[in-house]
Amino acid sequence: MILAAETNESLAQMSNTLIYSSMAVYTLAFLAHIAEWVLGSRSKVGRTAAALTRTKGAAAPAVTVQVKQAGGTAVLDKPKVVTRAAAGARDVPDGPGAAGGTVKGDLYGRIAVSLTALAFLVEASGVVTRALSVQRAPWGNMYEFSTTFSTVAVGVYLGFLLLKKNVRWIGLPLVTTVLLDLGVATTWLYTDSDQLVPALHSYWLWIHVSTAIFCGAVLYLGAVATLLYLFRDSYENKLANGGEPGAFARSVLERLPAAASLDKFAYRVNAAIFPLWTFTIIAGAIWAGDAWGRYWGWDAKEVWSFITWVGYAAYLHARATAGWKGRKAAYIALIAFACFLFNYYGVNIFVSSKHSYAGV
């Protein structure tokens, strides 16, 4: 018994070390992402994308790339990227990405992704070690939920990259958010390894909470895309109306995907995850029936989970309603995600509920 306790304590300390180590690697990834954006800011490709963006809504001309070869010059056609996600969307090509098209910028981008992958592996090891130390699912309190949430969010991002999706623009905001999340978790939310109350000793802990974490991670990526869509859409509107954005806005926003591309990505991930969020609420209700003898009791956590569901249902409905596509629907999506965040932080910290026993 004593040996087992000492082993569990050693595993808990190892988990803490791995989490702090992942924060160090995430910091290096953050600096590499910054270098990618800065060193790719004045590339020829970036200037070409800016010129195409300033077509004020007109169809962009075809882009050609000249490649010098021995004995002549080959001209390669580069197709224009055109996306339409909402009524009246402009036909604007996607920007060249964070690297801006420069070799050096792309090098730092690859380094940033590699460091992010390494940090993900280290953090995931910390989460698994925490689970071994308590011999249960590693999401019994807010500290464990936060570390697992950030791990899953980065894992989803890396999964998109493995599928060859153009999502490297998420890298910088994602790594920044993960560092903030882990900083809050290790500073204010840390809880020593311990067993849970009897009500939580159920296989539904694995099903309900794991799906909630995965849903939150995907909804976070959708919220980032939605927020960037609003900035990029304002930028494109300003150009279309003859305005002149500042140097910082041109340097950053013209390298992002077009507003229509960001809008489409946000809609697809939110729509894809909505059925799973519905299942999460249903699974929680079934678990409540087993643990407390009632399926729904208007507990604060249950209420805000339902409010979040209504928010995303309203967003999906708005996307299908004339006059509500685009910015109006985006505002609803951000409000829905704010409800998700309050359901996690606000309800757990400031509201007394049946879920409070999970501890901080």
Side-chain angles (χ1 to χ4, degrees):
M1 183 69 70
I2 296 177
L3 181 60
E6 291 178 349
T7 301
N8 292 339
E9 180 63 25
S10 298
L11 288 172
Q13 293 176 357
M14 182 183 299
S15 173
N16 296 340
T17 300
L18 289 170
I19 294 299
Y20 279 109
S21 299
S22 71
M23 293 176 65
V25 182
Y26 278 128
T27 301
L28 295 177
F30 170 79
L31 295 176
H33 276 297
I34 292 293
E36 177 189 19
W37 280 90
V38 172
L39 296 178
S41 61
R42 291 183 174 86
S43 70
K44 181 178 180 181
V45 176
R47 292 195 300 271
T48 302
L52 292 174
T53 304
R54 294 188 179 90
T55 54
K56 301 181 181 180
V63 182
T64 60
V65 180
Q66 291 189 343
V67 181
K68 292 184 179 180
Q69 296 178 342
T73 300
V75 178
L76 305 179
D77 290 331
K78 181 179 179 181
K80 178 172 65 72
V81 179
V82 177
T83 56
R84 295 180 179 86
R90 295 168 296 275
D91 291 347
V92 177
D94 289 342
T102 65
V103 175
K104 184 176 291 186
D106 189 63
L107 172 63
Y108 279 100
R110 293 176 183 275
I111 293 174
V113 172
S114 299
L115 289 172
T116 302
L118 176 59
F120 163 76
L121 294 176
V122 175
E123 186 183 10
S125 299
V127 171
V128 172
T129 306
R130 175 82 174 196
L132 294 175
S133 70
V134 293
Q135 299 179 6
R136 58 167 172 77
W139 41 74
N141 50 61
M142 289 186 67
Y143 168 76
E144 295 174 355
F145 190 100
S146 295
T147 54
T148 306
F149 174 84
S150 58
T151 303
V152 174
V154 176
V156 172
Y157 164 70
L158 295 175
F160 276 121
L161 290 179
L162 289 175
L163 294 174
K164 307 299 182 181
K165 302 299 182 181
N166 178 25
V167 295
R168 261 183 44 185
W169 46 270
I170 300 179
L172 180 57
L174 173 64
V175 172
T176 303
T177 306
V178 168
L179 282 172
L180 291 174
D181 174 73
L182 292 178
V184 171
T186 55
T187 304
W188 290 295
L189 303 180
Y190 181 77
T191 303
D192 290 331
S193 300
D194 200 0
Q195 293 303 313
L196 302 176
V197 296
L200 290 181
H201 285 286
S202 170
Y203 60 88
W204 284 107
L205 176 65
W206 292 90
I207 300 173
H208 171 63
V209 183
S210 63
T211 54
I213 292 173
F214 181 74
C215 287
V218 177
L219 292 176
Y220 162 77
L221 297 182
V224 172
T226 300
L227 187 61
L228 292 178
Y229 156 74
L230 292 174
F231 285 116
R232 173 77 190 205
D233 185 64
S234 296
Y235 175 77
E236 292 179 8
N237 278 332
K238 190 169 186 176
L239 291 175
N241 294 326
E244 185 64 27
F248 178 79
R250 288 197 304 270
S251 176
V252 174
L253 296 177
E254 72 186 15
R255 287 185 282 155
L256 290 175
S261 296
L262 293 168
D263 186 42
K264 181 183 293 185
F265 175 83
Y267 169 69
R268 285 179 173 177
V269 296
N270 287 332
I273 208 64
F274 181 74
L276 190 59
W277 180 250
T278 304
F279 169 78
T280 301
I281 296 177
I282 295 174
I286 296 175
W287 188 10
D290 291 343
W292 302 321
R294 53 68 169 173
Y295 294 102
W296 192 267
W298 298 104
D299 180 71
K301 180 72 70 172
E302 298 166 348
V303 169
W304 279 96
S305 295
F306 180 68
I307 291 175
T308 303
W309 184 91
V310 171
Y312 279 104
Y315 164 73
L316 296 177
H317 179 71
R319 292 279 311 197
T321 303
W324 279 88
K325 295 180 180 180
R327 298 185 67 88
K328 291 181 180 179
Y331 292 138
I332 297 176
L334 291 180
I335 292 173
F337 185 70
C339 292
F340 174 86
L341 290 180
F342 180 79
N343 186 34
Y344 173 53
Y345 286 104
V347 171
N348 283 12
I349 296 176
F350 302 111
V351 180
S352 177
S353 71
K354 276 185 168 292
H355 293 76
S356 298
Y357 55 64
V360 173

